[in-house]
Each structure stands twice: as structure tokens, then as C-alpha cells.
Amino acid sequence: PPAGPPALIDPRKEDPLAFLMLDLKDTFEFAPTAAAGTVEFTRAKYTLDVLKLNDRDYLVQARENAFGAYLARLQAYVVIRDGGASTAKLARLKASLLRSPHPTVWTEMKRQHAHHTELRNLFAQAPEALNW
């Protein structure tokens, strides 16, 4: 390849979420966060296109399923915590959530919670989860 900045986002050296945002309300597709015409936008778009992150239906469906699973786990955590669960039980629930597939979905849920009514309400009940 020619010398110069990399075209693809390298997740070993860069945080992909600095370039991309996951739509948690409708499509469960990634979109560039930078303005069109910028180097950051071009790299994000190129990465999405080359890796076909939005073009493979099973990836989009997996992200949507992960969203539902994370939501259910956090709701269960709140119910169990409020029911007087032990610290050990809550730690197991937290660990289970953090071992779930598609951790990017969880990261985006925390990042976008203020703009998503259901998430805003749920994280208001369990603000500690924003630091997991």
C-alpha cells in the first residue's frame, strides 16, 4: 500500500467509536460520526464499506438482538437489586452482562442513554451501570 495515513480504522490502535455511531433506535447500523468530506468521515465510510458492517443482515440482526438482551439484563439487575439481592449476586449479574456478545452495543447504550427515552429511564434507576 502507498505510504500515508491508514484508510481502515485499526481497532488495535484506535477506538472505532471515535469514528462510528450505532443507531440504537431504528436500523442498528453504524454511521460515521464526522462530517462528510473530512478524513475521519472517509475512513469511517471506507471501513464500513470494506468490512460490510451494515450490508450483512445477520450482523445488523445480531446487534439488534444484543440490544434487547442487554436491556433485559439491566432491567433484571434493577429488579433483583431492588429486591435485596446480595452483593455477590449483583456482581455475578454484572459480570454476566459484561461477558455478553457485542460489547459495542453496550458501550453505545451507555454513550447514547441521554438521547434514548427507555435507556435514560433505565440508567436513571441504575446509574452505577454507566461505569461498567
Side-chain angles (χ1 to χ4, degrees), residues 68-84:
Y70 280 117
L71 201 61
R73 285 177 184 263
L74 189 54
Q75 290 166 337
Y77 171 87
V78 169
V79 168
I80 291 168
R81 183 203 61 203
D82 292 353

Side-chain angles (χ1 to χ4, degrees), residues 17 19-33 44-45 48-49 52-65 67 104-105 108 111-112:
L17 293 180
F19 297 86
L20 301 167
M21 181 178 132
L22 181 61
D23 175 8
L24 295 176
K25 290 186 178 180
D26 297 310
T27 65
F28 291 90
E29 293 182 356
F30 285 103
T33 56
K45 180 89 171 81
L48 290 172
D49 292 345
K52 300 185 184 315
L53 295 176
N54 294 332
D55 299 334
R56 295 181 277 170
D57 292 339
Y58 65 91
L59 290 177
V60 174
Q61 186 63 53
R63 293 190 290 261
E64 186 173 2
N65 292 344
F67 176 78
T104 298
V105 173
E108 282 288 50
R111 181 164 85 163
Q112 296 180 33

